[in-house]
Amino acid sequence: MDKTNCITLYEGKNGDFIQITSMDIEGVMRRRLLDLGFVPGAVVEVIRKSPLGDPIAFRVSQTTIALRREESSKIQGELMKHE
């Protein structure tokens, strides 16, 4: 994987697609995110950042969910190429 394409979900911009590679979240929140489809290999779309940057809306597995910086900065992935 090209290291220049590795970012956290928080660093994504509106319209970006990010393929999840790892999550540094534990406990109940990790289980909840896994249940919602935030699993390694899943592609997440950045839908909308709020004006102050927190929270951010993401789409994964046809579900839209808003995550705070606290969670989205702990999910790493690879920025997908726009075609």
Side-chain angles (χ1 to χ4, degrees):
M1 175 179 357
D2 184 0
K3 294 291 183 191
T4 59
N5 287 337
C6 292
I7 63 172
T8 65
L9 293 189
Y10 183 77
E11 296 169 319
K13 296 176 176 46
N14 289 349
D16 281 351
F17 288 87
I18 303 166
Q19 185 172 23
I20 297 175
T21 56
S22 66
M23 291 177 25
D24 295 326
I25 300 173
E26 299 299 326
V28 175
M29 180 54 76
R30 180 181 180 86
R31 169 60 32 210
R32 182 171 286 167
L33 290 172
L34 290 171
D35 289 345
L36 288 168
F38 286 85
V39 296
V43 176
V44 178
E45 179 183 2
V46 182
I47 301 294
R48 181 182 169 121
K49 281 193 164 188
S50 61
L52 298 177
D54 195 29
I56 303 171
F58 299 98
R59 180 174 295 132
V60 61
S61 303
Q62 299 179 347
T63 301
T64 301
I65 182 171
L67 296 179
R68 296 174 297 190
R69 179 180 186 163
E70 181 180 340
E71 292 92 22
S72 62
S73 64
K74 295 180 180 178
I75 303 173
Q76 295 81 32
E78 181 179 0
L79 185 62
M80 309 283 288
K81 299 275 189 216
H82 292 279
E83 299 194 15

